[in-house]
Amino acid sequence: MNVVLDTNVVMSAIFWPGESRECLVRWARRRYHLAVTVPILAEYAGIARRLAQRFPAVKPEPWLKWIEAKAKVYEPAPLGKQRSSDPDDELFLACAL
């Protein structure tokens, strides 16, 4: 099964313990495949940089390198008429399609 994780889930997993981190743990245990696109990886990195300024004790780079190295990278699908009610989610919809 391929799974697309929203940036909020990935950032919560990196910066705080809890249920979101369990998503990455399950991926590490090969319960599913993480699907990403280059724009999703760029969004993860950009948001992680901003959060790292607020939480300097957390180092997101190893997590991001791991995700980039192990996730399945896909070309985003054209959305056509399939649109999200939240334009910020269209990156993830294009990956899922």
Side-chain angles (χ1 to χ4, degrees):
M1 166 176 41
N2 286 331
V3 173
V4 180
L5 294 178
D6 180 87
T7 305
N8 292 326
V9 172
V10 174
M11 293 306 109
S12 292
I14 291 172
F15 284 87
W16 300 280
E19 290 181 20
S20 292
R21 186 159 301 161
E22 185 63 26
C23 291
L24 292 184
V25 168
R26 288 175 188 235
W27 173 50
R29 292 182 179 157
R30 298 185 178 153
R31 301 284 170 85
Y32 63 86
H33 299 285
L34 179 59
V36 297
T37 61
V38 171
I40 288 173
L41 290 171
E43 179 166 302
Y44 288 171
I47 301 297
R49 276 193 299 276
R50 289 200 328 244
L51 284 171
Q53 291 175 353
R54 291 178 47 204
F55 304 98
V58 178
K59 304 298 181 210
E61 295 83 9
W63 292 88
L64 296 172
K65 287 180 182 178
W66 174 57
I67 290 169
E68 187 174 347
K70 300 294 183 182
K72 289 184 172 184
V73 180
Y74 292 92
E75 285 294 318
L79 293 180
K81 294 181 181 181
Q82 297 174 339
R83 298 288 176 168
S84 171
S85 59
D86 182 350
D88 290 339
D89 288 339
E90 291 185 355
L91 283 174
F92 306 98
L93 179 59
C95 183
L97 292 172

